[in-house]
Coordinates of all heavy atoms in Angstrom, one line a residue:
A1452 N 48.8 187.0 178.8 CA 48.6 187.6 177.4 C 48.3 186.5 176.4 O 47.5 186.6 175.5 CB 49.9 188.3 177.0
A1453 N 49.0 185.3 176.6 CA 48.8 184.2 175.7 C 47.4 183.7 175.8 O 46.7 183.3 174.8 CB 49.8 183.1 175.9
L1454 N 46.9 183.6 177.1 CA 45.5 183.1 177.3 C 44.5 184.1 176.7 O 43.6 183.6 176.1 CB 45.3 183.0 178.8 CG 44.0 182.3 179.2 CD1 43.8 180.9 178.7 CD2 43.8 182.4 180.8
S1455 N 44.7 185.3 176.9 CA 43.8 186.3 176.4 C 43.8 186.3 174.8 O 42.7 186.4 174.2 CB 44.3 187.7 176.8 OG 43.5 188.7 176.2
A1456 N 44.9 186.1 174.2 CA 45.0 185.9 172.7 C 44.1 184.7 172.2 O 43.5 184.8 171.2 CB 46.4 185.8 172.2
Q1457 N 44.1 183.7 173.0 CA 43.4 182.4 172.7 C 41.9 182.6 172.9 O 41.1 181.9 172.2 CB 43.9 181.2 173.5 CG 45.3 180.8 173.1 CD 45.9 179.7 174.0 OE1 45.2 179.3 174.9 NE2 47.1 179.3 173.8
T1458 N 41.5 183.3 173.9 CA 40.1 183.3 174.2 C 39.3 184.6 173.7 O 38.1 184.5 173.7 CB 39.9 183.2 175.8 OG1 40.6 184.3 176.4 CG2 40.5 181.9 176.3
T1459 N 40.0 185.6 173.3 CA 39.3 186.8 172.8 C 38.9 186.5 171.4 O 39.7 186.1 170.6 CB 40.2 188.0 172.9 OG1 40.6 188.2 174.2 CG2 39.5 189.3 172.4
S1460 N 37.7 186.7 171.1 CA 37.1 186.4 169.7 C 37.7 187.4 168.6 O 37.7 188.6 168.9 CB 35.6 186.5 169.7 OG 35.2 186.3 168.4
P1461 N 38.2 186.8 167.6 CA 38.7 187.7 166.5 C 37.5 188.1 165.5 O 37.8 188.7 164.6 CB 39.7 186.7 165.7 CG 39.1 185.4 166.0 CD 38.5 185.3 167.3
Y1462 N 36.4 187.7 165.9 CA 35.2 188.0 165.1 C 34.1 188.8 165.9 O 34.2 188.8 167.2 CB 34.5 186.7 164.6 CG 35.5 185.7 164.0 CD1 36.0 184.6 164.7 CD2 36.0 185.9 162.7 CE1 36.9 183.7 164.1 CE2 37.0 185.1 162.2 CZ 37.4 183.9 162.8 OH 38.3 183.2 162.3
P1463 N 33.2 189.4 165.2 CA 32.2 190.2 166.0 C 31.5 189.4 167.1 O 31.2 188.2 166.9 CB 31.2 190.6 164.9 CG 32.1 190.7 163.7 CD 33.0 189.6 163.8
A1464 N 31.3 189.9 168.3 CA 30.8 189.2 169.3 C 29.4 188.8 169.1 O 28.5 189.6 168.6 CB 30.9 190.0 170.6
L1465 N 29.0 187.7 169.7 CA 27.6 187.2 169.7 C 26.9 187.8 170.9 O 27.4 187.9 172.0 CB 27.6 185.6 169.8 CG 28.1 184.8 168.6 CD1 28.1 183.4 169.0 CD2 27.3 185.0 167.3
M1466 N 25.7 188.2 170.7 CA 24.8 188.7 171.8 C 24.1 187.5 172.4 O 23.7 187.6 173.6 CB 23.9 189.8 171.3 CG 24.5 191.0 170.7 SD 25.6 191.9 171.9 CE 27.2 191.4 171.4
I1467 N 23.8 186.5 171.6 CA 23.1 185.3 172.1 C 24.2 184.2 172.2 O 24.6 183.7 171.2 CB 22.0 184.9 171.1 CG1 21.1 186.1 170.9 CG2 21.2 183.7 171.7 CD1 20.0 185.8 169.7
P1468 N 24.5 183.7 173.4 CA 25.5 182.7 173.5 C 25.1 181.4 172.9 O 23.9 181.1 172.8 CB 25.6 182.5 175.1 CG 24.9 183.7 175.7 CD 23.9 184.2 174.7
L1469 N 26.0 180.6 172.4 CA 25.8 179.4 171.8 C 25.5 178.4 172.9 O 26.2 178.3 173.9 CB 27.0 178.9 171.0 CG 26.8 177.8 170.0 CD1 25.9 178.2 168.9 CD2 28.2 177.4 169.4
S1470 N 24.4 177.7 172.8 CA 24.0 176.7 173.7 C 24.4 175.3 173.3 O 24.0 174.9 172.2 CB 22.4 176.7 174.0 OG 22.0 175.8 174.9
I1471 N 25.1 174.6 174.2 CA 25.6 173.2 173.8 C 25.1 172.2 174.8 O 25.0 172.4 176.0 CB 27.2 173.2 173.9 CG1 27.8 174.3 173.0 CG2 27.6 171.9 173.5 CD1 27.7 174.1 171.5
A1472 N 24.6 171.1 174.3 CA 24.0 170.0 175.1 C 24.9 168.8 174.8 O 25.5 168.6 173.7 CB 22.6 169.8 174.8
Q1473 N 24.8 167.8 175.7 CA 25.5 166.5 175.5 C 24.5 165.4 175.3 O 23.4 165.4 175.9 CB 26.3 166.2 176.7 CG 27.1 164.9 176.7 CD 28.0 164.7 177.9 OE1 27.8 165.4 178.9 NE2 28.9 163.7 177.8
V1474 N 24.8 164.6 174.3 CA 24.1 163.3 174.2 C 24.2 162.5 175.4 O 25.4 162.2 175.8 CB 24.5 162.5 172.9 CG1 23.7 161.2 172.8 CG2 24.4 163.3 171.6
P1475 N 23.1 162.1 176.1 CA 23.2 161.5 177.4 C 24.2 160.2 177.4 O 24.0 159.3 176.5 CB 21.8 161.0 177.7 CG 20.9 162.0 177.0 CD 21.7 162.4 175.7

Side-chain angles (χ1 to χ4, degrees):
L1454 181 64
S1455 175
Q1457 291 175 357
T1458 58
T1459 301
S1460 176
Y1462 310 105
L1465 295 170
M1466 300 297 104
I1467 306 170
L1469 198 62
S1470 178
I1471 306 289
Q1473 184 176 6
V1474 176

